[in-house]
Amino acid sequence: MLNLVRVVLLAAVLWSGYWAIAGFGLRSSVTNWFAVQAERGWQAEHSEISLSGFPLRHRITIDGPALADPTTGTAWRADWLALESPAIWPGRQTLYFPETQQRLSYYDQTLVIEAAAMHADLDLAPGNALTLRSMALTAGEWSVSRGDEVWADADALSISMQQQEKPETYRIHAEASDLAPGKDIRRLLGGAEELPRSFDRLELDLDVDFDKSWDRTALEESRPQPRLINLKLAEAAWGELRLFAAGKVSVDDYGVPTGEVALKAENWREMVAMAQQSGALPVRAAEPLTKVLNMLAGLGGNPEALDLELGFRGGYVTLGPIPLGPAPRLFLR
């Protein structure tokens, strides 16, 4: 019995020593990372970094984190951020975000994010690169606002990334429950005032080939850029409006897309009216576009439904036979 007690005490001492060494090493790594980013010209600030979680976990809490990349003009700050991992393996990290305001800025434009129980589970490969094998971000009720106006809010959010057999390829899935556009967006869309408060369904499922894997350099240096997008399904349902999309698009080094995306739109006339009201569709193009789409819808047998291809060629985008203008550049800053 005495020998068993000695073994237990020795194991406890050894584990405590390991926990302390590993924990302080993690805290030092976080502190050094902030210092390195500051040397590179970033704004990388915090008020305090603390360690807790003994005996089974390591929890690093960063009070008052503020990060700003002058190259891209993006910045983020919050009251605190916590990184938690099993003591036995730091590669499975969970990031916990505060329920108080987070501020995300792009130059002089700032969005305020508030989310309940927001956290991200990360599975990182062993090694200095810390390659992302999977990520799952979830949140309860959340909202995004600008100034005094709420842009959008929803009951829940789910975003996941899963590395595939090819290391540069990730399966991405996103879903928002009861997403409600704010008053500004409804006013911008005009006809949206007649629609329900929230979307019935909003879901995205796609595979993306990037030019490199997602690892620590994605934050420290440059973001991986998409090279091939396989859109398996994009679905939006808002009242009587339904939109489905699927297709493949390649992206060159300049962010120019090439490919086709099949679209199916139900109650498309309301969508055209909203696009015109928002300014996305010029007034002079609305009437001829409606006439052509009406003819194409009639060919399909259901005048309220459209089956068309969104085409990307030579830096321009077309909707069926109709040219829409320059294609957007697909580039992650």
Side-chain angles (χ1 to χ4, degrees):
M1 184 65 181
L2 183 59
N3 288 336
L4 178 60
V5 172
R6 288 174 177 171
V7 170
V8 171
L9 288 175
L10 178 60
V13 170
L14 292 175
W15 178 258
S16 298
Y18 162 77
W19 185 93
I21 293 172
F24 284 109
L26 286 171
R27 189 174 72 172
S28 296
S29 296
V30 173
T31 302
N32 291 338
W33 185 87
F34 273 84
V36 169
Q37 303 320 304
E39 291 176 359
R40 294 177 59 232
W42 281 39
Q43 176 193 4
E45 302 174 351
H46 61 82
S47 58
E48 185 179 354
I49 297 179
S50 59
L51 171 65
S52 60
F54 182 82
L56 298 180
R57 306 188 69 80
H58 288 122
R59 182 181 177 95
I60 307 294
T61 302
I62 307 167
D63 291 330
L67 298 171
D69 182 355
T71 303
T72 63
T74 55
W76 171 84
R77 66 170 58 243
D79 288 341
W80 56 266
L81 177 69
L83 296 80
E84 188 173 302
S85 62
I88 198 67
W89 168 234
R92 290 189 177 274
Q93 289 281 342
T94 300
L95 275 63
Y96 292 96
F97 298 85
E99 297 193 359
T100 53
Q101 293 182 347
Q102 302 175 56
R103 297 184 179 275
L104 181 63
S105 302
Y106 181 67
Y107 291 106
D108 61 343
Q109 306 296 319
T110 298
L111 297 177
V112 176
I113 303 169
E114 295 183 78
M118 184 177 179
H119 66 278
D121 296 318
L122 307 178
D123 181 13
L124 307 175
N128 291 332
L130 299 178
T131 301
L132 179 67
R133 294 193 291 204
S134 68
M135 183 277 291
L137 173 70
T138 58
E141 293 185 3
W142 60 272
S143 67
V144 177
S145 59
R146 181 180 174 187
D148 296 329
E149 291 289 339
V150 175
W151 270 26
D153 63 80
D155 289 345
L157 175 68
S158 173
I159 302 174
S160 64
M161 288 179 63
Q162 182 74 45
Q163 191 177 42
Q164 304 299 291
E165 185 175 352
K166 183 181 177 182
E168 297 83 14
T169 302
Y170 288 83
R171 182 74 175 269
I172 300 174
H173 182 268
E175 188 171 359
S177 299
D178 293 321
L179 177 69
K183 292 180 179 178
D184 279 354
I185 296 179
R186 283 178 171 271
R187 282 195 297 266
L188 182 65
L189 295 178
E193 293 293 342
E194 306 298 326
L195 293 168
R197 178 185 178 276
S198 62
F199 281 80
D200 302 301
R201 187 170 184 81
L202 198 61
E203 186 174 0
L204 183 67
D205 188 15
L206 68 162
D207 288 344
V208 182
D209 289 3
F210 294 94
D211 58 0
K212 65 176 183 177
S213 300
W214 283 81
D215 55 29
R216 64 187 302 169
T217 63
L219 182 61
E220 299 174 353
E221 298 175 9
S222 62
R223 260 55 71 194
Q225 298 302 319
R227 289 294 173 256
L228 179 64
I229 301 173
N230 182 6
L231 178 60
K232 297 179 178 295
L233 176 67
E235 180 180 355
W238 193 10
E240 296 299 318
L241 305 183
R242 297 286 191 277
L243 182 64
F244 305 88
K248 285 187 178 181
V249 175
S250 62
V251 185
D252 67 15
D253 293 342
Y254 300 97
V256 178
T258 301
E260 293 82 28
V261 175
L263 296 177
K264 180 176 182 179
E266 299 178 5
N267 294 300
W268 58 270
R269 289 181 179 82
E270 288 82 354
M271 297 182 189
V272 172
M274 291 165 63
Q276 179 184 349
Q277 182 71 27
S278 68
L281 179 65
V283 176
R284 65 181 181 276
E287 184 176 349
L289 176 63
T290 301
K291 290 181 179 179
V292 174
L293 293 181
N294 190 58
M295 180 189 67
L296 294 174
L299 294 175
N302 182 358
E304 296 302 321
L306 268 176
D307 288 285
L308 290 174
E309 277 197 349
L310 196 63
F312 301 89
R313 286 285 185 277
Y316 288 87
V317 57
T318 58
L319 181 62
I322 307 164
L324 296 182
R329 297 297 189 263
L330 305 181
F331 189 82
L332 300 179
R333 296 187 176 277

